[in-house]
Amino acid sequence: MSNLTFMPVLWPLFTGIFLIFFAKKIKLQRGISLFSSLIGIAISLYLVLTVHKQGILTLGVGSWDAPFGIVIVADMLSSLLVLTTNIIGFAILIYSFYSIGEERERHYYYPVFQFLLIGVNGAFLTGDLFNLFVFFEVMLMASYVLLVLGGTKIQLRESLKYIIVNVLSSSFFVIMVAYLYSVLGTLNMAHISQRIAEVNQPGIISVIAIGFLIVFGLKGAIFPLFQWLPGSYYAPPIPVMALFGALLTKVGIYSIFRTYTLLFYHDQDFTHTFLAVLAILTIIIGVIGAIAYWDVKKIIIYNIIIAVGVIIFGISVMNEQALSGSILYIIHDMLIKGALFLLVGIMIKISGTDDLRDMGGLIKQYPVLAWTFFIAAISLAGIPPFSGFAGKLLILQGAAESGAYFGMAVVLLSSLMVLYSVMKIFMNGFWGTSKIDYVLPNKTVNKMLVPAVLLVIISVLFGVGTESIYPFITQAVDTLMNPDIYIKAVLKE
Amino acid sequence: MELLMAIVIGILFMCATYLMLSKSILRIIIGTGLLSHGAHLLILTMGGLKGGSVPLLSNKAASYVDPLPQALILTAIVISFGVTSFLLVLAYRTYQELGTDDMEEMRGTKANE
């Protein structure tokens, strides 16, 4: 029964391996992926409920107890993120059926899709630092293939840059693991945390903390390390872009969550102030990008960077409100970014261009698309009944409590600019008069709309029902605020 | 011994950084190769270089070298091997499609898409 903890990783692994055997039978591939994706959601939902009932679940792989074996740890934060990942995977999978094209589907698109899910779920669930590195590589390798699959010129060019940046950051990860191992002599996260607490974080540990921030910042696109993101995310087809935008950067943020609450929390004056400054700069850069462009894809891509900044700011404040705000916001942001990329993809498919200045008047022919986009846009900005509100409110409350007023002001102003950037899409794309002939409503467009509407509905429910989800969030925050709970669950003292 | 290794690894990182900042793709890939060599040697060094038998129980020695870093290096080597081969094939395809190996010429201009 305790194997449940590892099922979100094993299930897509089996599916992915199975799918490789029938690469040319597209109908079968779609059927199996869809079925597997539904089971995946069921498994992760069950995992969330079990963790809620029983507390943190741990699984020592091969019955070797921590710290000697690899431990899989499902606490509330991990299992909530795994559930969100599976829901987004499901929606993007359905979207892929209608938009990715047969040529790509025949060349192992669905197996690689499953391998990406393995990497992401594994990174959320592992309790071992080197194992985290391995799951990062699984995720990145799948993302390289998805990014370049199809082989157009822009994809080849941007894949080269993306891979070189990630090879660099992976080497840096290995280097930091080596340093940490030489100081503490262990790789299990709970054991590392315990040993850091014993030596009370001397200077060398703070240096390693900043090193890990550089590694995870490269994956998660924080301020000085974000330059690879706008180009790389611009290149792949829309479903892949949605998958990257919703999941990949969030794994980096989750790792910052984990390391900065579980391992390196003893010298907050230094590490967390550093984090706060970078977060504020990230928000500012993201805002500048989001309002500068007239390209719909670019606007949403820079909105990813803004959200990364907001979540990291919540982590840097490091009190109960801000952390629960960050958790609410990361889940909201995964859902809504997935939805926005899918919606923007439909706009581009209909109008044949991604330049806002050439669009206009879409609302006459596509009212459902328009109003879904409108709801997604105001959720993104954080208008009260919708999902972005509660997270940001709690982050702001937390910041006010600890006196980080400047950061508070930046987050508030950034919401305004986010609203401006997405309303720019809405007003220029959907209102006014049409400047080009659009593809008239047809079956494919309607079917593509289904997963996007599904994601928006889930995120609206998430916003309206924050009250009923809140016990889960509190449980996640408890573990983050008191690392002892985590350590006790893993080391079983 | 560790000091010597640290200096050598530092030189490897220096060469890797220099190569990765150059224009040609192949030089960059050679740079990533040197970077992963440096990282792997660093794990070995940081695990400690004190004398001891190879980690085989049949040797029945009084002390063994630390087996964990060796397992980590083995994992990291095959991963970087996979990534490097992918990167090399990608560079080859890019050269075929774009007709250049100069990173400076791979800009996001309309003509290049």
Side-chain angles (χ1 to χ4, degrees):
Chain A
M1 197 60 249
S2 64
N3 286 345
L4 168 73
T5 322
F6 206 39
M7 277 315 275
V9 180
L10 287 181
W11 182 251
L13 176 66
F14 288 141
T15 317
I17 292 172
F18 191 63
L19 284 175
I20 290 177
F21 294 111
F22 314 102
K24 308 295 168 200
K25 296 186 175 142
I26 297 174
K27 287 247 165 70
L28 195 65
Q29 293 257 319
R30 290 180 181 175
I32 295 173
S33 314
L34 191 67
F35 171 73
S36 142
S37 191
L38 282 170
I39 302 281
I41 293 179
I43 291 171
S44 42
L45 192 62
Y46 187 63
L47 179 66
V48 170
L49 295 176
T50 317
V51 172
H52 188 52
K53 219 182 299 168
Q54 301 179 359
I56 298 175
L57 295 179
T58 61
L59 170 67
V61 177
S63 297
W64 293 95
D65 283 332
F68 302 111
I70 289 173
V71 193
I72 305 299
V73 186
D75 70 340
M76 202 36 151
L77 175 63
S78 318
S79 30
L80 280 176
L81 290 176
V82 165
L83 177 62
T84 321
T85 304
N86 278 296
I87 291 171
I88 289 165
F90 174 70
I92 294 174
L93 190 72
I94 298 177
Y95 191 90
S96 307
F97 295 164
Y98 307 108
S99 82
I100 197 77
E102 289 203 359
E103 202 45 48
R104 285 192 170 98
E105 284 179 305
R106 224 185 309 249
H107 287 94
Y108 302 95
Y109 175 77
Y110 295 115
V112 180
F113 190 99
Q114 297 294 332
F115 291 137
L116 187 87
L117 290 186
I118 298 169
V120 174
N121 286 341
F124 287 147
L125 286 174
T126 185
D128 184 281
L129 213 49
F130 197 77
N131 199 229
L132 179 68
F133 164 74
V134 174
F135 276 121
F136 261 113
E137 289 302 311
V138 172
M139 175 187 90
L140 289 172
M141 199 71 198
S143 76
Y144 302 156
V145 177
L146 284 178
L147 183 60
V148 81
L149 193 67
T152 58
K153 281 185 181 175
I154 180 171
Q155 279 179 303
L156 288 169
R157 195 183 71 213
E158 295 303 334
S159 307
L160 259 184
K161 297 171 191 170
Y162 178 72
I163 296 178
I164 290 166
V165 167
N166 277 306
V167 166
L168 183 73
S169 80
S170 298
S171 294
F172 220 83
F173 199 160
V174 172
I175 293 166
M176 284 306 140
V177 168
Y179 282 149
L180 201 60
Y181 181 71
S182 82
V183 177
L184 299 171
T186 179
L187 290 171
N188 179 288
M189 288 200 220
H191 203 209
I192 291 174
S193 171
Q194 201 181 34
R195 288 197 171 169
I196 291 179
E198 277 165 14
V199 293
N200 202 21
Q201 195 158 344
I204 180 73
I205 299 284
S206 295
V207 171
I208 294 170
I210 298 298
F212 273 111
L213 182 63
I214 294 172
V215 173
F216 299 135
L218 264 167
K219 317 273 183 196
I222 62 173
F223 162 63
L225 310 164
F226 67 94
Q227 289 94 341
W228 56 273
L229 185 135
S232 308
Y233 281 22
Y234 193 78
I238 294 291
V240 177
M241 190 191 269
L243 207 57
F244 284 14
L247 303 180
L248 294 198
T249 50
K250 305 305 180 292
V251 180
I253 301 176
Y254 164 79
S255 309
I256 295 178
F257 249 119
R258 197 47 91 204
T259 45
Y260 274 67
T261 55
L262 181 64
L263 312 181
F264 311 118
Y265 58 92
H266 300 281
D267 190 8
Q268 290 187 16
D269 273 350
F270 174 62
T271 49
H272 287 62
T273 313
F274 199 78
L275 206 57
V277 172
L278 290 187
I280 289 168
L281 289 170
T282 309
I283 297 173
I284 292 171
I285 289 292
V287 161
I288 293 173
I291 56 179
Y293 284 97
W294 282 86
D295 185 310
V296 282
K297 289 199 265 182
K298 275 268 154 74
I299 294 176
I300 309 293
I301 285 171
Y302 275 97
N303 269 302
I304 299 177
I305 299 178
I306 302 176
V308 168
V310 172
I311 298 165
I312 302 280
F313 178 69
I315 300 173
S316 78
V317 172
M318 201 54 192
N319 57 26
E320 230 158 273
Q321 271 107 335
L323 280 181
S324 47
S326 278
I327 294 172
L328 277 171
Y329 202 77
I330 192 173
I331 296 170
H332 143 80
D333 192 63
M334 288 166 84
L335 290 168
I336 211 75
K337 284 284 145 53
L340 274 173
F341 275 115
L342 298 186
L343 289 166
V344 158
I346 299 170
M347 282 175 78
I348 293 171
K349 173 146 178 108
I350 293 167
S351 55
T353 173
D354 46 24
D355 196 329
L356 268 179
R357 283 166 293 199
D358 296 339
M359 293 185 197
L362 269 168
I363 199 166
K364 278 175 219 139
Q365 282 162 356
Y366 298 93
V368 181
L369 174 67
W371 292 116
T372 314
F373 186 87
F374 183 73
I375 292 172
I378 57 177
S379 312
L380 183 71
I383 306 285
F386 298 108
S387 57
F389 173 68
K392 242 177 213 171
L393 179 72
L394 285 168
I395 291 177
L396 291 174
Q397 269 183 0
E401 204 169 276
S402 65
Y405 296 112
F406 181 70
M408 238 178 108
V410 171
V411 171
L412 275 174
L413 278 177
S414 82
S415 303
L416 202 63
M417 294 301 161
V418 167
L419 187 65
Y420 167 71
S421 70
V422 279
M423 278 303 139
K424 188 162 95 177
I425 301 181
F426 185 71
M427 287 165 66
N428 288 289
F430 291 100
W431 287 354
T433 50
S434 30
K435 292 166 194 152
I436 39 172
D437 292 329
Y438 294 123
V439 183
L440 290 175
N442 59 32
K443 258 190 181 162
T444 322
V445 173
N446 288 340
K447 282 180 186 162
M448 279 161 80
L449 205 51
V450 173
V453 172
L454 183 79
L455 278 185
V456 173
I457 289 174
I458 291 173
S459 91
V460 168
L461 289 179
F462 180 69
V464 176
T466 308
E467 197 80 340
S468 49
I469 297 164
Y470 203 69
F472 295 87
I473 307 289
T474 333
Q475 195 184 353
V477 173
D478 265 353
T479 321
L480 293 184
M481 288 298 290
N482 309 306
D484 282 344
I485 302 177
Y486 187 99
I487 295 169
K488 278 206 183 96
V490 175
L491 297 180
K492 307 231 166 53
E493 281 157 1
Chain B
M1 191 62 194
E2 276 90 346
L3 184 68
L4 183 67
M5 287 296 280
I7 292 167
V8 171
I9 294 163
I11 293 171
L12 273 176
F13 284 156
M14 187 179 73
C15 298
T17 314
Y18 178 74
L19 282 170
M20 288 182 84
L21 290 174
S22 56
K23 282 184 183 177
S24 154
I25 295 179
L26 276 181
R27 278 170 168 266
I28 294 174
I29 296 176
I30 293 170
T32 61
L34 288 183
L35 187 66
S36 48
H37 284 334
H40 301 153
L41 283 175
L42 188 73
I43 305 183
L44 193 71
T45 312
M46 288 295 153
L49 295 174
K50 290 176 283 295
S53 170
V54 287
L56 290 171
L57 285 179
S58 56
N59 278 10
K60 302 209 168 32
S63 77
Y64 297 92
V65 294
D66 191 349
L68 187 66
Q70 300 191 9
L72 301 186
I73 293 170
L74 193 62
T75 315
I77 284 174
V78 291
I79 289 174
S80 73
F81 190 52
V83 174
T84 307
S85 48
F86 188 85
L87 188 54
L88 278 168
V89 175
L90 182 71
Y92 179 61
R93 281 282 295 145
T94 314
Y95 181 67
Q96 280 183 328
E97 286 282 321
L98 300 179
T100 176
D101 74 333
D102 190 341
M103 287 306 269
E104 293 272 316
E105 285 175 22
M106 294 189 199
R107 288 171 193 271
T109 51
K110 285 280 179 207
N112 218 347
E113 276 164 22

